[in-house]
Amino acid sequence: MKISEILKEDIIEVNLEARDKTDVINKMVDLAEKSGNIIDIDEVRKCVFDRERLVSTGVGKGFAIPHGKSDYIKDVVAAFATLKEPVDFDSIDNEKVSFVFLLVGKDALLNVHIKLLSRISRLMNKDEFRDKLLVAKKKSEILKLFKDEEQQYIEI
Amino acid sequence: MLSLEFILLVISLLILISIFLTKLSDNFGVPSLVLFLVMGMIAGSDGPGQIEFNDYELTKSIGLIALVFILFSGGLDTKWKSVKTVFWSGLSLSTLGVVMVTISVGFFCNYFFGFGLIESFLLGAIISSTDVAAVFSTLRAKNTRLKGCVRPLLELESGSNDPMAIFLTVLIIEAIISGVPSTFSAVLSLIMQFGIGGIIAVISGKLMVKLFNKLKFGNDSLYVVFAIAFALLIYAITTLLKGSGMLAVYISAIIIGNSDFIQKRSTIRFFEGIALLSQIVMFLALGLLSDPSELLPVTSTGLIISGFLIFAARPISVFISLIKSKFSIKEKFFLSWVGLKGAVPIILSTFPIIYGIQGGYNIFNLVFFITLSSALLQGWSIPLMAKVFKLEEPEPEEEIIPIKMSSRVQINKEMIDLIIPYKSEIIGKPLADISLPEESLIVLITRNGEYVVPSGSTTLEEGDTLLVLVNKENVNEVKQKLMRVHH
């Protein structure tokens, strides 16, 4: 499995408008619902907010990766968005967030879940990659950026 | 009078042979219940075994006790999380669905065979419940996994429609004996049965979990003995109080199975064994009780009713009960096909005989035949149907994580996942130099999709995803150590 295989154009959003952190997460979960993999959207929302309470998933450099584990999904649930205006996400480095990747994995498949998390956070740590994402105007461009960037890495 | 040793010899041999037969059923995809029944028939008075066994009352008691354990074990195994999403659909199938089958089979038999109307309804009620063991044993044998919410729905339906079938059967028998009750009293007794059953289930389920965790038995084996007695107690009390005993047993077991308690794993395992034994003994007894020679005369009638049940009554009840659900047409057709009959109809068919209802033996033989034919025809074809309706699912990926942790009772530890922030202060430092608080441990590092086994000299990189075992009280300190960044 690769990140670029999980992402589809309908779960990508360019210039998402959101007021605050809660709004961002809610909109990301709504976006992810388009994958058709969510069985109970409220439960999915809850698991993401629960994880966020432990410690913010704003890992720095303007990126946040809200995530969680849930039984109420059929398969991995994901969504990616660039934000129109940076939003305060209680990030560890206090920087406002401009990119958000939502990932919800099955409770029973923790192994895949954490591997995907580590892949995403590795990808998003690259300055040039983030710069390219920031100027991308179309969903297809974003999808292609992920595909190209991930090419050098192994299947998970 | 036969000696005890001889009786034990026969019973133990029958059980052992039945167990060997399950291998056969695995290979051919025939539900094992059919083999157990046939085994009993062979051993019985008409077969080469020549064992005379005609005690309907005893068979009914064996059947009910077995059913208590089967439902209790089924409830313990039911994951509330998966059943929750199909709760209303399941409830509709096991109430409205049962009534629909009863009514449609009733009218059909009355119209087509000219059976008395009320006797026709009795037959309908008796064959209205479905059997989960019959369905899942064939699915397991053929390694078929079902997609989506079909499986939990089947599980919930077959556990919860037995009480409704029992209720309807008893209600109709009472109507035959002492006249048709008013709608009011019928509805009242329905509410009483399920209300009392539900209330006792909730109280007893919670009570048993409390007692398990409070009472410290010196001998671990006492827990399962306690659970056996408790299951029988729930059934007995509820039934004596005019509630639905089977419903109480099933619901309380769901509550118990979804709570944390000491010895949970061993209790569930133990009840799986008891449930299997119950099934074998029950089907053997039912097989012994029947006389194959008397099945012959009902063959044609039985086949026609079976056909009506499979191709008309069951689909009608499924489609009407699930009219408001989100299940697809394909799923509904599949659900219609897997309305397998099992033990409950045969147990219930001893009721008319015991109550001396006219034509009782005829009903028993018919039900026996219908159950056998439904299990045979539908049983082996379930994996095929799953394929036809595209409801098969590939085997899930095995969890191959080096470490697994589930929180147990009164354990204050927790496994959390943390992502090392970019610009973290601890980048490049060996783990040995990061003094994590007592009772906390980095058990796994995942870097760019690959595992890194942590040791003292391991250094962390930005974006590494860690699994950390922590004492819940130390979570904040762990966060402070690992989540600090350069500003």
Side-chain angles (χ1 to χ4, degrees):
Chain A
M1 202 183 318
K2 281 194 165 190
I3 303 299
S4 42
E5 289 164 11
I6 299 172
L7 280 181
K8 298 275 176 316
E9 279 191 32
D10 49 359
I11 49 172
I12 296 175
E13 185 82 56
V14 184
N15 289 332
L16 181 79
E17 285 181 57
R19 290 187 308 276
D20 51 21
K21 181 173 176 175
T22 312
D23 197 29
V24 170
I25 295 178
N26 277 326
K27 284 185 172 153
M28 291 304 286
V29 175
D30 293 339
L31 182 60
E33 203 191 9
K34 292 178 186 163
S35 66
N37 284 337
I38 295 182
I39 295 171
D40 186 333
I41 192 166
D42 293 329
E43 292 285 344
V44 169
R45 228 184 274 283
K46 183 170 168 290
C47 86
V48 176
F49 279 109
D50 280 350
R51 170 59 186 81
E52 209 59 39
R53 221 164 288 135
L54 173 71
V55 60
S56 172
T57 58
V59 290
K61 301 188 182 174
F63 176 59
I65 177 166
H67 62 270
K69 283 169 293 164
S70 173
D71 271 341
Y72 297 94
I73 54 174
K74 293 181 200 155
D75 202 347
V76 180
V77 166
F80 177 79
T82 55
L83 303 187
K84 193 168 187 199
E85 300 289 337
V87 165
D88 182 8
F89 211 86
D90 302 324
S91 291
I92 320 278
D93 63 355
N94 291 330
E95 204 177 299
K96 286 189 174 181
V97 158
S98 312
F99 318 92
V100 187
F101 202 117
L102 172 87
L103 187 79
V104 180
K106 272 197 177 180
D107 240 347
L109 287 173
L110 182 61
N111 55 339
V112 181
H113 184 60
I114 55 168
K115 281 180 174 178
L116 290 174
L117 283 176
S118 69
R119 166 65 53 84
I120 298 164
S121 45
R122 163 65 58 116
L123 292 175
M124 295 300 296
N125 191 22
K126 284 204 176 166
D127 298 338
E128 327 117 72
F129 183 54
R130 284 200 316 277
D131 291 344
K132 283 186 212 161
L133 285 174
L134 208 53
V135 293
K137 291 277 175 293
K138 283 195 292 213
K139 298 174 179 186
S140 55
E141 277 175 64
I142 289 185
L143 197 57
K144 185 162 186 320
L145 283 170
F146 268 98
K147 206 164 269 172
D148 295 344
E149 187 65 28
E150 214 183 359
Q151 213 154 36
Q152 48 179 316
Y153 296 128
I154 55 151
E155 281 275 317
I156 290 177
Chain B
M1 185 65 196
L2 295 168
S3 74
L4 173 67
E5 287 72 22
F6 183 74
I7 296 174
L8 285 181
L9 176 79
V10 172
I11 293 179
S12 54
L13 276 179
L14 282 178
I15 293 177
L16 286 174
I17 296 172
S18 303
I19 293 172
F20 286 122
L21 283 178
T22 58
K23 279 241 80 89
L24 206 70
S25 83
D26 281 356
N27 290 337
F28 293 106
V30 179
S32 35
L33 76 91
V34 176
L35 296 174
F36 300 156
L37 276 178
V38 171
M39 187 69 212
M41 285 158 74
I42 292 173
S45 51
D46 275 355
Q50 301 273 319
I51 299 174
E52 282 289 342
F53 182 69
N54 282 316
D55 197 333
Y56 286 87
E57 187 81 49
L58 177 65
T59 310
K60 176 192 158 198
S61 306
I62 292 176
L64 289 179
I65 295 169
L67 199 57
V68 168
F69 290 128
I70 293 169
L71 283 177
F72 196 75
S73 169
L76 284 181
D77 242 353
T78 302
K79 309 235 167 349
W80 177 241
K81 267 187 180 176
S82 59
V83 165
K84 200 174 114 182
T85 44
V86 293
F87 180 77
W88 293 109
S89 306
L91 193 71
S92 174
L93 262 185
S94 58
T95 50
L96 183 62
V98 165
V99 173
M100 291 301 304
V101 168
T102 305
I103 291 178
S104 49
V105 170
F107 279 126
F108 177 76
C109 291
N110 174 252
Y111 179 79
F112 202 83
F113 296 111
F115 295 172
L117 189 60
I118 197 155
E119 285 78 13
S120 300
F121 283 138
L122 179 58
L123 182 65
I126 288 174
I127 57 173
S128 60
S129 84
T130 58
D131 189 316
V132 75
V135 176
F136 290 139
S137 71
T138 47
L139 285 178
R140 204 171 329 125
K142 291 285 164 204
N143 263 331
T144 309
R145 296 183 55 87
L146 294 177
K147 242 186 232 174
C149 298
V150 174
R151 190 192 162 96
L153 179 62
L154 281 170
E155 227 174 304
L156 184 66
E157 184 207 4
S158 52
S160 58
N161 63 14
D162 297 339
M164 187 69 185
I166 296 174
F167 169 77
L168 278 182
T169 304
V170 172
L171 186 77
I172 296 173
I173 288 178
E174 276 169 4
I176 294 176
I177 294 173
S178 45
V180 179
S182 67
T183 318
F184 174 74
S185 72
V187 169
L188 185 71
S189 111
L190 177 76
I191 294 171
M192 287 266 287
Q193 284 263 324
F194 288 3
I196 292 174
I199 292 168
I200 295 184
V202 173
I203 295 172
S204 56
K206 294 199 164 153
L207 183 67
M208 192 179 121
V209 173
K210 268 229 168 72
L211 287 174
F212 253 61
N213 288 333
K214 275 264 162 63
L215 300 171
K216 299 269 186 293
F217 296 129
N219 184 342
D220 283 351
S221 305
L222 280 177
Y223 286 97
V224 287
V225 180
F226 183 88
I228 292 179
F230 208 85
L232 292 171
L233 179 75
I234 295 172
Y235 173 73
I237 285 190
T238 315
T239 311
L240 286 174
L241 290 175
K242 302 264 183 282
S244 168
M246 293 301 172
L247 185 79
V249 166
Y250 183 62
I251 296 181
S252 61
I254 294 181
I255 295 173
I256 294 165
N258 287 282
S259 314
D260 281 328
F261 59 90
I262 303 170
Q263 299 279 333
K264 180 171 176 178
R265 204 176 267 261
S266 55
T267 306
I268 292 181
R269 278 299 278 283
F270 183 81
F271 269 95
E272 265 170 34
I274 293 267
L276 277 173
L277 178 68
S278 303
Q279 272 191 38
I280 294 178
V281 171
M282 172 174 70
F283 284 120
L284 282 176
L286 292 168
L288 274 174
L289 188 65
S290 81
D291 298 310
S293 60
E294 286 176 27
L295 290 182
L296 278 178
V298 299
T299 311
S300 55
T301 319
L303 269 180
I304 293 170
I305 300 179
S306 232
F308 178 78
L309 185 67
I310 293 171
F311 296 108
R314 169 75 181 172
I316 291 172
S317 92
V318 167
F319 276 83
I320 292 184
S321 308
L322 297 182
I323 204 157
K324 283 186 141 177
S325 75
K326 56 185 189 312
F327 285 94
S328 68
I329 302 274
K330 273 196 273 180
E331 285 173 317
K332 286 177 191 169
F333 271 119
F334 181 74
L335 286 165
S336 304
W337 190 254
V338 290
L340 257 72
K341 305 296 155 195
V344 176
I346 312 186
I347 298 173
L348 287 178
S349 67
T350 61
F351 283 35
I353 297 176
I354 292 166
Y355 286 99
I357 306 279
Q358 215 185 357
Y361 288 96
N362 203 23
I363 290 183
F364 177 81
N365 287 326
L366 267 176
V367 170
F368 199 94
F369 189 87
I370 293 168
T371 303
L372 262 183
S373 55
S374 136
L376 270 177
L377 172 66
Q378 294 172 296
W380 71 266
S381 57
I382 290 177
L384 186 77
M385 286 298 170
K387 219 174 269 175
V388 170
F389 293 115
K390 299 204 171 58
L391 293 172
E392 268 187 315
E393 195 174 58
E395 283 285 311
E397 287 174 68
E398 279 285 306
E399 170 100 55
I400 25 172
I401 196 146
I403 225 122
K404 211 177 165 179
M405 163 90 185
S406 58
S407 82
R408 298 253 172 73
V409 193
Q410 290 152 355
I411 293 183
N412 201 16
K413 315 280 187 295
E414 183 177 32
M415 186 108 88
I416 59 172
D417 64 85
L418 291 174
I419 299 173
I420 298 300
Y422 308 147
K423 301 179 281 182
S424 163
E425 277 183 17
I426 54 169
I427 299 303
K429 271 191 204 173
L431 286 186
D433 291 356
I434 305 166
S435 48
L436 287 179
E438 285 286 298
E439 295 196 40
S440 60
L441 179 71
I442 297 175
V443 289
L444 186 69
I445 302 168
T446 320
R447 177 172 302 157
N448 193 15
E450 287 181 87
Y451 294 137
V452 177
V453 179
S455 67
S457 59
T458 312
T459 54
L460 293 172
E461 294 182 9
E462 294 173 316
D464 280 358
T465 305
L466 313 184
L467 283 184
V468 190
L469 190 58
V470 293
N471 182 321
K472 283 178 188 162
E473 288 154 21
N474 293 337
V475 172
N476 282 326
E477 212 178 321
V478 171
K479 281 196 305 201
Q480 272 176 12
K481 290 277 183 200
L482 293 175
M483 295 281 124
R484 258 202 311 245
V485 295
H486 297 289
H487 285 285

